Amino acid sequence: MPKIVSVLLFILLGANSAFASTVYLQHDLPNSEVGYAVKVLRETLAEEAYSVTLSPGQVDFTIKLGVSVDYGPESFSLASAGNRLSIRGGDKRGLIYGALAVAEQLRNGRDIESIEVRRESPAMPFRAIKHNLPWDSYRSSSALDLHYETARDVRYWEAFLDMMAENRFNALTLWNLHPFPYMIKPKNFPEATRFSDAELAQWRQLYKAIFAMARERGIDTYLVNWNVLVSEEFADAHDLEGNNYFPFYKGSADSRGEAQTSDIVKRYTRESVTQVLEEYPDLTGFGFSFGEQMGGMTPTERQRWMDETIIAGMREADRPSKMIFRAPFS
């Protein structure tokens, strides 16, 4: 019995010590640079029963966050001296990874005073997840439809993006056949979307939340679509005869068959790319490939299509963006 009492007394004393420890999170960076790193540390320290402050004063321990040009992109270092711990990143992303490394050690049972110092750099610059969206997906099945409402829940994306950051993924690629009608009402082609203004506002809110949360976590976002495809509403409005939309995309004998590539399809695609980039400033860019529905087109014709639509639309936007090029399938 005395041994059990001693153990309990030790646990209680440890808990009281942790509750009495006040940690000061010190930084002189804009909130946009340090926001997620501070959030991770505050939440984790609170979980471990530390008191957290963003103001100097009577504190027991200080964690200083900063960015240093001495480190490469996404790199970070943890260094300690006395009751101070320094987290320095080569950029915003590196600072986030440094904060996550400290949070992981705390959750694994280390005290703030005994955080293991280290320096890390990424082995690969591009670490992406391919996420097939359940709307306008490239296949129709109950396995995809099952997750339709889940994928429209912002809380799902918050948890998913947290997971990505914790595992050091730095890019999210969102795939579906044709994303534009879910994101914009094209200025010159309003017939392309089936949604009312109220319905479209809900979709816009979802996409904006995904891109904003990703950016906060240092994660790039890319839309990847199937090239020459359009919405069924657009195809019907303009009497398109090619296999330009689902289910004809997979319904023909050749699932990578030919879609119509007329001038109106080119203009619609180019203008939609520009409008999406301008209405979604947190979106990083687009990805494309010389694949589906481009059967019958030569490699030169496929490249010209991309040059005149997606790449031209990106260039016409009022901001820079990035591009992922997927190798041709054949």
Side-chain angles (χ1 to χ4, degrees), residues 138-301:
Y138 75 109
R139 282 186 172 86
S140 178
S141 74
S142 58
L144 290 170
D145 296 341
L146 180 67
H147 303 289
Y148 185 88
E149 291 302 328
T150 299
R152 292 195 64 180
D153 191 332
V154 172
R155 293 171 299 177
Y156 161 76
W157 288 104
E158 183 176 17
F160 189 87
L161 291 163
D162 281 340
M163 177 279 297
M164 287 187 62
E166 289 169 3
N167 289 281
R168 314 304 192 258
F169 287 102
N170 62 9
L172 171 64
T173 62
L174 300 173
W175 296 63
N176 66 347
L177 294 181
H178 190 61
F180 305 139
Y182 296 84
M183 302 177 71
I184 59 171
K185 177 174 283 188
K187 296 173 184 176
N188 293 313
F189 301 97
E191 69 278 6
T193 181
R194 73 184 71 105
F195 301 113
S196 67
D197 289 346
E199 291 169 331
L200 187 58
Q202 293 179 332
W203 283 107
R204 285 173 55 85
Q205 185 178 12
L206 173 64
Y207 274 100
K208 281 184 174 291
I210 294 171
F211 300 150
M213 290 189 297
R215 186 168 188 171
E216 180 189 28
R217 289 156 178 76
I219 297 170
D220 290 342
T221 47
Y222 296 87
L223 295 176
V224 188
N225 66 337
W226 265 255
N227 307 328
V228 296
L229 296 181
V230 297
S231 68
E232 182 176 359
E233 289 75 18
F234 182 91
D236 290 346
H238 298 281
D239 297 323
L240 299 185
E241 297 178 355
N243 298 328
N244 275 81
Y245 64 90
F246 188 89
F248 299 109
Y249 163 67
K250 288 291 181 185
S252 60
D254 177 10
S255 65
R256 293 182 182 176
E258 301 176 25
Q260 188 176 134
T261 58
S262 61
D263 287 341
I264 195 168
V265 175
K266 288 182 179 179
R267 181 187 168 199
Y268 163 69
T269 304
R270 182 181 68 251
E271 291 182 6
S272 294
V273 167
T274 301
Q275 189 172 338
V276 164
L277 285 172
E278 292 179 349
E279 292 190 16
Y280 293 85
D282 290 327
L283 173 65
T284 304
F286 282 88
F288 61 82
S289 61
F290 294 161
E292 277 87 353
Q293 300 306 101
M294 301 187 96
M297 298 173 69
T298 67
T300 300
E301 289 171 335

Side-chain angles (χ1 to χ4, degrees), residues 25 27 29-43 65 92 95-96 99 216-217:
L25 299 182
H27 70 88
L29 299 170
N31 286 336
S32 60
E33 295 294 314
V34 77
Y36 189 70
V38 168
K39 177 185 175 185
V40 166
L41 291 171
R42 291 186 72 170
E43 291 179 353
L65 300 95
K92 173 186 176 180
L95 189 60
I96 289 173
E216 180 189 28
R217 289 156 178 76

Side-chain angles (χ1 to χ4, degrees), residues 22-31 33-35 37-39 41-42 45 51-57 59-67 77 79 81 83-89 95 99 102 112:
T22 301
V23 180
Y24 168 37
L25 299 182
Q26 178 187 4
H27 70 88
D28 54 6
L29 299 170
N31 286 336
E33 295 294 314
V34 77
V38 168
K39 177 185 175 185
L41 291 171
R42 291 186 72 170
L45 287 164
S51 175
V52 183
T53 179
L54 298 179
S55 302
V59 297
D60 302 299
F61 198 87
T62 297
I63 299 178
K64 184 174 182 180
L65 300 95
V67 171
S77 73
N83 64 342
R84 296 178 64 85
L85 174 68
S86 173
I87 305 175
R88 302 194 71 80
L95 189 60
V102 171
I112 193 67

